[in-house]
Amino acid sequence: MKLFHIALAGFLSLAAFAGSAFSAAAADLLTIQLKDGPVVIQLMPEVAPKHVAQIEALAKKGAYDNVVFHRVIDGFMAQTGDVQYGNASKGYDPNKAGTGGSDLPNLPAEFSKVPFQRGTVGMARAQDPNSANSQFFIMFANGDFLNGQYTVVGKVVSGMELVDKIKRGEGQNGEVSNPDKMLKVTVTKK
């Protein structure tokens, strides 16, 4: 009988492990509808749980819909997500886009060893490492100099060729006049 209990405990442990592995495999996907089609991002809650939860909360309430790509630097990245000043259909202010956030609190840094490569999605922040809120960026190319300095939240798994079509900005800061926008942003299970 004792052997049965040990075997049962082992089976339950294995089942719990398989269940947690299954939940990680069923990661959430963030879909950004651009003018040219959908971009799908696999979010990484195992790497940055607080940041992913905040992005999902904002997406689920429609806060990212119609938000512009206010800073786009060719060969580097496209930045968006300023729900306060970057919404093209309500409250858009091109002079302030990129300085705002959301009505949710700023987040503590969740730096990881996940490298910034083409298609990596990271959280934008101010000088304070604990100031990320709603803005994020998608890498056009590798950016090793960002590793360990910014929080990685996901990776583009489909539609990177559409990200490449986002209107580029001008100057060193990549400010965009008449910018492209995220038409609709949704969260689904893989």
Side-chain angles (χ1 to χ4, degrees), residues 30 43 48-61 63-64 83 101-108 110 123 131-136 153 187:
L30 186 74
L43 296 173
K50 293 176 183 171
H51 288 75
V52 168
Q54 187 131 316
I55 287 172
E56 289 181 346
L58 291 167
K60 286 176 182 174
K61 68 180 188 176
Y64 285 129
V83 301
S102 73
D103 57 357
L104 299 175
N106 287 347
L107 298 163
E110 293 178 298
M123 290 297 283
S131 62
N133 185 289
S134 64
Q135 294 185 47
F136 60 90
V153 295
V187 177

Side-chain angles (χ1 to χ4, degrees), residues 54-154:
Q54 187 131 316
I55 287 172
E56 289 181 346
L58 291 167
K60 286 176 182 174
K61 68 180 188 176
Y64 285 129
D65 298 353
N66 295 307
V67 173
V68 302
F69 286 89
H70 63 273
R71 182 173 181 238
V72 184
I73 301 174
D74 194 34
F76 180 30
M77 59 89 219
Q79 185 172 331
T80 185
D82 185 343
V83 301
Q84 185 175 7
Y85 299 118
N87 189 313
S89 60
K90 58 181 177 192
Y92 177 59
D93 185 339
N95 296 316
K96 290 185 179 179
T99 64
S102 73
D103 57 357
L104 299 175
N106 287 347
L107 298 163
E110 293 178 298
F111 300 152
S112 68
K113 293 186 186 283
V114 177
F116 278 89
Q117 301 172 330
R118 176 172 164 75
T120 298
V121 180
M123 290 297 283
R125 62 172 176 79
Q127 290 292 94
D128 179 358
N130 301 312
S131 62
N133 185 289
S134 64
Q135 294 185 47
F136 60 90
F137 55 91
I138 303 171
M139 299 296 291
F140 290 128
N142 294 352
D144 295 343
F145 59 94
L146 299 176
N147 293 348
Q149 305 292 316
Y150 290 81
T151 298
V152 173
V153 295

Side-chain angles (χ1 to χ4, degrees), residues 8-9 14 20 33 42 44-45 49 52 68 77 102-103 129 134 143 145 152 169 175 185-186:
L8 180 62
L14 183 59
S20 65
Q33 185 64 44
Q42 181 167 348
M44 299 177 178
V52 168
V68 302
M77 59 89 219
S102 73
D103 57 357
S134 64
F145 59 94
V152 173
E175 295 172 358
V185 179
T186 55

Side-chain angles (χ1 to χ4, degrees), residues 2 38 41-42 46 130 157 179:
K2 189 173 185 178
I41 297 164
Q42 181 167 348
E46 70 282 3
N130 301 312
V157 293

